[in-house]
Amino acid sequence: MTRPIVFLTDYGLDDEFVGVCHGVITRIAPDARVIDLAHGIPPQDVLRGALVLAAAAPYMPEDAVYLAVVDPGVGGARGAVAVATEAGALLVGPDNGLLSLAWQELGGPIKAVEISAPDRMLERVSATFHGRDVFAPAAAHLANVADLNDLGPDVDLSSLQHVHVPAPGIADGELTAVVTGVDRFGNLELNARPDDLAEAALGDAGSLTLRHAGGTAGIRVARTFEDVPPGDPALIEGSSGYLAVVVNMGSAARRLGLSAGSDLALTR
Amino acid sequence: MTRPIVFLTDYGLDDEFVGVCHGVITRIAPDARVIDLAHGIPPQDVLRGALVLAAAAPYMPEDAVYLAVVDPGVGGARGAVAVATEAGALLVGPDNGLLSLAWQELGGPIKAVEISAPDRMLERVSATFHGRDVFAPAAAHLANVADLNDLGPDVDLSSLQHVHVPAPGIADGELTAVVTGVDRFGNLELNARPDDLAEAALGDAGSLTLRHAGGTAGIRVARTFEDVPPGDPALIEGSSGYLAVVVNMGSAARRLGLSAGSDLALTR
Amino acid sequence: MTRPIVFLTDYGLDDEFVGVCHGVITRIAPDARVIDLAHGIPPQDVLRGALVLAAAAPYMPEDAVYLAVVDPGVGGARGAVAVATEAGALLVGPDNGLLSLAWQELGGPIKAVEISAPDRMLERVSATFHGRDVFAPAAAHLANVADLNDLGPDVDLSSLQHVHVPAPGIADGELTAVVTGVDRFGNLELNARPDDLAEAALGDAGSLTLRHAGGTAGIRVARTFEDVPPGDPALIEGSSGYLAVVVNMGSAARRLGLSAGSDLALTR
């Protein structure tokens, strides 16, 4: 019995970083299945990594070991942690908030340890590639059903780092939001959910005005892409449960000139 | 015994869509091998997806379950189908023609069902991500050797959608064709085969004139890249069996200014 | 018992080439684990492929079959070889030097054969895709613990091709080097190691002057990214053991205008 590993990084797939970690995992846990969840997190974007990991968690195996590395502070003072969750899944990564939305999604953390046992990492630990030298070995040992205590001493749960997800602005008749990510199709994911739209008293609107730094646009509120004429922008509930600005058969990012981090406001 | 899954989409690998589908598959069929055939199909290019799937089929395991998603109409009226082929392989995807060239390659369809059984998809089906909610679960159940009838009611084979592959133009001494795809190396795949060249009475030519919207170029007819001086364009039989315009040690796309959809004519 | 396959190419992941090879492997060795080490080697850059393969070898399973394809001469006169190493790993690929740094890393070659047995490759061998038709089948048969002799006749070890790694220039107080690769983060890998810096009597410097075609810059010598103020360039030992020019929280490639092949000199 080995647990599956769910692997997320900002390493990209052009270089060998992901593949090298697969090699390290295979040496320690040759039978562990590895699910490459995403390696295209924008470089060093801890918040985006945390959002993607949490949104994916309900679709991953319940006994998964999450191995997540978006790590601007590699080699420095930030801790390396392994966290057990109420739901049973384990999480391995830097203690910089990257794991924090996922453990909330998984019922909350029930135990955390600092990864520090020399026999649970590679013999030589580089200053720049802890994915290979620290995190992949730890995750592989956990996939082999190692005890969390084998990795190192307990960490106080209250000391674990969290990411801050910017909240949408909700006023009567106006919802302000920020673009948290842009996918391959040019769809813009927002930091707001359908409930927020309803709370802003816009839940029944058939169309809205979208205001952003570059101008304004009328957008339809729709349930599916097919409800929107090709080329027109629309607001839909994206697959992650967040609102998304999309263009049927086109790119909302290009059409509206918006990108990750862009602010916008929705009114009637 | 589980069947391998051959997975093709236009999701790209920058986002988490492919990885989330892997998670869904693993929850249902933890032992199924998943072959990621291609996820870089140009967004919403159903024809290109169909061509790639069919060209790859002879190299895939004979008992494979193909899971293919290029789905501009997601959430709308197009059907979701699972198709059994004469050769034994199964195909799962939107009923928009994406699967149609592959089932021809695999001996033709012998049975098709509409994927509609609630217990064979995820509990909550979103309007925008049927790869995750409908198709991946269906393919995973089939990898577990579920009966096709468990997925939903029969679909009349004659009602299945097909893609239209544009035919090359064959005249005496002239072959007109269109670029159906460009690969990483800048090689241009055409919608014509060596037989078409022969039928246009050009099969014995050692070199040809290539005419396109941007000009004309002399190109050598060659068997391998090494038969062509570096930097020179040539016409070869590509690995898919279609003709390809290539440049040894260079990019034919850049050298000639051609891209997917470009028309061209070959004469002596 | 099957051996794991470590797979490296310059095919990229936008096209189906890698996925098609996975299909071929699965047909022959359905239980073999395949580690996708890297497929983003710059097109036809044999030296870069050789460097990446060798640097990764210590992290790969000891019984691995390496399947490596960066093959500008496909279809031409270069040989196709399988090589057994002292350390036990096997290597499969074109005889163009691509494998040569890895077999050195793995204790040296102890036997090599030419891949030529018709029943160990696909029935129809194309002129342009030997990864699919020759190398993947050979590697899959070896993963199935086939005998090397089944693939073809012995090749004299002294006839095997090697890549030439350009040596850094070491003078008293000056180290000249070339950028051998740029990763996703814009880090620049050099063809020099910390020992070379010491030999140039620069091993104790806390900061250096970097001179290149576009100008000069002061750079700190550091152990980790965190030792460097954000935005400043630094020289560190990269994860492969080579020196790297990096920018904390930024891209050294963009900041300094350097790319693969750029020459530079380091002095006090």
Side-chain angles (χ1 to χ4, degrees), chain A residues 167-179 188 190-192 196-197 200 202 207-221 233-235 243 245 256 258-259 261-268:
Chain A
I170 298 171
D172 187 26
E174 182 176 79
L175 178 68
T176 55
V178 62
V179 175
L188 305 159
L190 307 183
N191 65 332
D196 300 319
L197 203 65
L202 298 169
S207 66
L208 291 167
T209 300
L210 185 159
R211 210 172 61 240
H212 58 93
T216 64
I219 68 168
R220 198 176 294 247
V221 181
L235 186 73
L243 293 169
V245 179
L256 300 170
L258 297 174
S259 57
S262 297
D263 295 302
L264 52 84
L266 295 162
T267 54
R268 279 188 204 266

Side-chain angles (χ1 to χ4, degrees), chain A residues 118-188:
Chain A
D119 63 339
R120 289 294 177 266
M121 51 184 75
L122 297 195
E123 230 171 289
R124 182 166 179 278
V125 174
S126 69
T128 56
F129 194 2
H130 286 193
R132 175 190 69 190
D133 303 334
V134 176
F135 298 119
H141 284 295
L142 292 176
N144 281 343
V145 201
D147 194 299
L148 216 55
N149 292 314
D150 294 348
L151 298 183
D154 273 34
V155 170
D156 193 335
L157 295 182
S158 67
S159 78
L160 291 173
Q161 300 297 304
H162 293 251
V163 289
H164 168 70
V165 186
I170 298 171
D172 187 26
E174 182 176 79
L175 178 68
T176 55
V178 62
V179 175
T180 58
V182 183
D183 71 22
R184 180 190 206 205
F185 301 94
N187 301 321
L188 305 159

Side-chain angles (χ1 to χ4, degrees), chain A residues 4 8 13-14 33-41 48 52 55-62 182-185 187 189 223-227 236-241 247-250, chain B residues 10-20 22-27 29-34 39-44 72-78 122 124 126-129 132-133:
Chain A
L8 172 143
L13 290 169
D14 284 343
R33 188 180 182 102
V34 182
I35 296 170
D36 287 297
L37 174 54
H39 298 295
I41 302 299
R48 184 71 198 154
V52 168
Y59 301 96
M60 298 295 121
E62 290 177 19
V182 183
D183 71 22
R184 180 190 206 205
F185 301 94
N187 301 321
E189 188 174 292
R223 203 183 66 80
T224 78
F225 284 88
E226 282 230 327
D227 297 340
I236 64 169
E237 179 180 347
S239 60
S240 62
V247 164
N248 185 17
M249 302 297 289
Chain B
D10 65 347
Y11 290 161
L13 290 169
D14 285 342
D15 306 307
E16 69 278 13
F17 306 131
V18 167
V20 167
H22 275 259
V24 168
I25 291 167
T26 303
R27 285 171 72 111
D31 298 323
R33 189 181 181 102
V34 183
H39 298 295
I41 302 299
Q44 306 172 330
V74 59
R78 65 97 188 99
L122 298 195
R124 182 168 179 275
S126 69
T128 56
F129 194 1
R132 176 189 70 189
D133 303 333

Side-chain angles (χ1 to χ4, degrees), chain A residues 10-17 19-20 22-24 26-27 30-32 34 39-41 43-44 72-73 75-77 122 124 127-129 132, chain C residues 4 13 33 35-41 48 52 56-62 182-185 223-226 236-240 248-250:
Chain A
D10 66 346
Y11 290 161
L13 290 169
D14 284 343
D15 305 308
E16 69 278 15
F17 305 131
V20 167
H22 275 260
V24 169
T26 302
R27 284 170 74 111
D31 297 323
V34 182
H39 298 295
I41 302 299
Q44 306 173 329
L122 297 195
R124 182 166 179 278
T128 56
F129 194 2
R132 175 190 69 190
Chain C
L13 290 168
R33 188 180 182 103
I35 296 170
D36 287 296
L37 174 54
H39 298 295
I41 302 299
R48 184 72 198 153
V52 168
Y59 301 96
M60 297 296 121
E62 290 178 18
V182 183
D183 71 22
R184 182 192 203 203
F185 302 95
R223 203 184 65 82
T224 79
F225 284 88
E226 282 230 327
I236 64 169
E237 179 179 348
S239 59
S240 62
N248 185 18
M249 302 297 290

Side-chain angles (χ1 to χ4, degrees), chain A residues 14-17 19-20 23 27 132, chain C residues 5-10 35-42 45-61 64-70 81 83 85 89-107 161 163 165 180 189 193 240 242:
Chain A
D14 284 343
D15 305 308
E16 69 278 15
F17 305 131
V20 167
R27 284 170 74 111
R132 175 190 69 190
Chain C
I5 293 172
V6 172
F7 190 18
L8 173 142
T9 70
D10 65 347
I35 296 170
D36 287 296
L37 174 54
H39 298 295
I41 302 299
D45 189 341
V46 174
L47 175 58
R48 184 72 198 153
L51 286 165
V52 168
L53 202 65
Y59 301 96
M60 297 296 121
V65 178
Y66 291 79
L67 167 59
V69 191
V70 179
V81 291
V83 179
T85 66
L90 303 172
L91 300 157
V92 170
D95 183 16
N96 62 8
L98 176 64
L99 311 174
S100 60
L101 301 181
W103 73 53
Q104 282 170 31
E105 182 70 38
L106 292 162
Q161 300 297 305
V163 289
V165 185
T180 57
E189 188 173 292
R193 296 174 183 271
S240 62
Y242 285 96

Side-chain angles (χ1 to χ4, degrees), chain A residues 51-72:
Chain A
L51 286 164
V52 168
L53 202 64
Y59 301 96
M60 298 295 121
E62 290 177 19
D63 60 344
V65 178
Y66 291 80
L67 166 60
V69 191
V70 179
D71 193 13

